[in-house]
Amino acid sequence: MKARYLVYTSLFIAIAIVLAQIVKILPIGTPGAVLLPMHIPILLCGFICGKKYGLLAGMLTPFVAFLISGMPIIFPVGLSMMFELATYGFVAGYTYKNLKLNPYVSLLVSMLIGRMVYGVAAAILYGFSNFDFGFQMFIQAAFIIALPGILIQLLIIIPLVKAIEKFQTQNQLPQVNA
């Protein structure tokens, strides 16, 4: 079972990296910051594979993407993303699998806590690079610019979770309990 979820986690990491590369070619300014392509697979990983695997996927994805494509720039953007995505994956898995919260509640909690962690990490890391990352910039980046991505997450993540769980049940695949 552990091997199965490592494979799933690797698949979610690969999907996140491919989605980021696809979104990058869209003719909009900062398409990654607008559509949040890495967030969806990491949240799915937490929901499907559990908190440990979600955390692992969130930590590794920005770093692996940087090694493959040079984006996101590892400091301070990539490191901030590593904290944010790891939080998404962990909290999604913990609230859904361990606390057994409603999936929509788990998603909202994950998104809010992840954004708060991003804000703290960005404020600290950007501070080391002499870039002022204040509250207004946090709100702008985490909620206003990202609104289309947030809406996409709210619309598709839970139906995808339900579809994957239904597939697992129909094919008698084990599900993570913790």
Side-chain angles (χ1 to χ4, degrees), residues 80-130:
S80 297
M81 286 178 66
M82 289 168 73
F83 284 107
E84 175 187 26
L85 294 177
T87 302
Y88 288 146
F90 180 85
V91 174
Y94 181 73
T95 57
Y96 186 62
K97 297 284 187 183
N98 295 88
L99 297 181
K100 309 283 189 214
L101 294 181
N102 173 289
Y104 288 100
V105 173
S106 291
L107 178 59
L108 288 172
V109 168
S110 301
M111 292 168 70
L112 288 172
I113 293 174
R115 279 175 174 68
M116 287 189 295
V117 167
Y118 161 74
V120 171
I124 293 167
L125 294 169
Y126 280 79
F128 286 123
S129 63
N130 294 324

Side-chain angles (χ1 to χ4, degrees), residues 55 58-63 74 77-87:
L55 177 94
M59 287 298 290
L60 289 177
T61 298
F63 183 69
I74 204 66
V77 178
L79 280 173
S80 297
M81 286 178 66
M82 289 168 73
F83 284 107
E84 175 187 26
L85 294 177
T87 302

Side-chain angles (χ1 to χ4, degrees), residues 14-163:
I15 292 169
I17 293 168
V18 169
L19 279 176
Q21 293 303 308
I22 291 169
V23 164
K24 189 164 71 171
I25 64 172
L26 294 175
I28 57 175
T30 62
V34 173
L35 299 175
L36 313 171
M38 288 186 176
H39 295 202
I40 294 167
I42 302 309
L43 285 160
L44 286 172
C45 185
F47 274 102
I48 301 303
C49 300
K51 63 187 178 198
K52 293 182 287 188
Y53 298 100
L55 177 94
L56 179 65
M59 287 298 290
L60 289 177
T61 298
F63 183 69
V64 173
F66 170 75
L67 292 176
I68 292 170
S69 69
M71 293 300 287
I73 297 168
I74 204 66
F75 184 83
V77 178
L79 280 173
S80 297
M81 286 178 66
M82 289 168 73
F83 284 107
E84 175 187 26
L85 294 177
T87 302
Y88 288 146
F90 180 85
V91 174
Y94 181 73
T95 57
Y96 186 62
K97 297 284 187 183
N98 295 88
L99 297 181
K100 309 283 189 214
L101 294 181
N102 173 289
Y104 288 100
V105 173
S106 291
L107 178 59
L108 288 172
V109 168
S110 301
M111 292 168 70
L112 288 172
I113 293 174
R115 279 175 174 68
M116 287 189 295
V117 167
Y118 161 74
V120 171
I124 293 167
L125 294 169
Y126 280 79
F128 286 123
S129 63
N130 294 324
F131 184 84
D132 186 27
F133 188 88
F135 185 73
Q136 184 176 0
M137 183 156 197
F138 162 69
I139 295 297
Q140 182 82 9
F143 296 100
I144 297 171
I145 293 171
L147 187 58
I150 291 168
L151 294 174
I152 290 168
Q153 290 170 24
L154 292 170
L155 290 173
I156 71 168
I157 288 177
I158 301 308
L160 285 172
V161 168
K162 295 297 184 186

